[in-house]
């Protein structure tokens, strides 16, 4: 079968959708890493807060208490910034997923067009074969009919 005009389009669309899938995967990894860092900050803050609570029972100075509070405040600020990073990463992932879905749909559409083209070619070939078979049968019929008339 001859090369279809759609095969190059399919090849290019496949490359584009694979590249989009790779970008989506990288965005998903960045999102997971960002969430992991946020989780670590939450865990560290809770651990540090527990140290403040347990240290408070043993008695700590005002300066130590102020240092604990200042450090917790810095952790809170870091958590806010990290949550913003998580949000940005999530938005990026959504955009990359939508881009991949669009490229994938194009790829599948070209595949469908190629399939339809091949089906049309197969039908055309089947009609040609049927026509040739009919013509051959008709010739044989006429050749036998003439042979009996003489």
């Amino acid at each position: 079968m001859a090369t279809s005009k759609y095969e190059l389009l399919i090849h290019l669309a496949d490359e584009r959708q694979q590249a989009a899938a790779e970008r989506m995967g990288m965005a998903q990894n960045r999102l997971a890493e960002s969430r992991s860092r946020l989780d670590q900050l939450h865990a560290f803050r809770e651990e540090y807060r527990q140290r403040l609570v347990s240290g408070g029972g043993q008695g700590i100075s005002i300066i130590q208490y102020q240092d604990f509070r200042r450090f917790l405040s810095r952790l809170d600020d870091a958590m806010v910034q990290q949550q913003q990073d998580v949000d940005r990463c999530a938005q990026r992932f959504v955009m990359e997923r939508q881009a991949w879905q669009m490229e994938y749909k194009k790829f599948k559409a070209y595949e469908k067009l190629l399939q339809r083209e091949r089906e049309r070619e197969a039908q055309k070939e089947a009609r040609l074969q049927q026509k040739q078979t009919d013509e051959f049968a008709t010739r044989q019929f006429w050749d036998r009919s003439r042979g009996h008339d003489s």
Side-chain angles (χ1 to χ4, degrees), residues 14-31:
D14 187 40
E15 286 180 350
R16 283 192 304 269
Q17 74 91 18
Q18 285 181 20
E22 189 173 317
R23 287 190 307 273
M24 180 182 66
M26 289 188 312
Q28 187 174 28
N29 289 340
R30 282 192 299 270
L31 175 58

Side-chain angles (χ1 to χ4, degrees), residues 16 39 48 50 53 56 59 65 76 78 98 106 132-133 144:
R16 283 192 304 269
D39 291 344
Y48 202 77
Q50 286 297 327
V53 169
Y65 178 76
D76 289 341
Q98 289 171 343
K106 287 179 188 177
Q132 289 173 344
T133 301
R144 279 187 290 202

Side-chain angles (χ1 to χ4, degrees), residues 101-112:
Q101 288 171 334
M102 185 180 72
E103 293 298 338
Y104 185 75
K105 285 179 185 179
K106 287 179 188 177
F107 170 69
K108 289 312 237 178
Y110 289 138
E111 278 189 330
K112 188 70 170 171

Side-chain angles (χ1 to χ4, degrees), residues 9 15 18 22 26 29 31 33-34 37 40 45 58 66 74 82 86-87 94-95 100-101 109 132 146:
L9 292 173
E15 286 180 350
Q18 285 181 20
E22 189 173 317
M26 289 188 312
N29 289 340
L31 175 58
E33 290 168 5
S34 187
R37 284 191 295 273
Q40 289 171 351
R45 186 192 187 288
Q58 299 169 355
Q66 288 174 339
R74 286 189 198 126
Q82 190 61 40
V86 167
D87 295 343
V94 168
M95 284 177 25
W100 170 78
Q101 288 171 334
Q132 289 173 344
R146 284 192 210 129

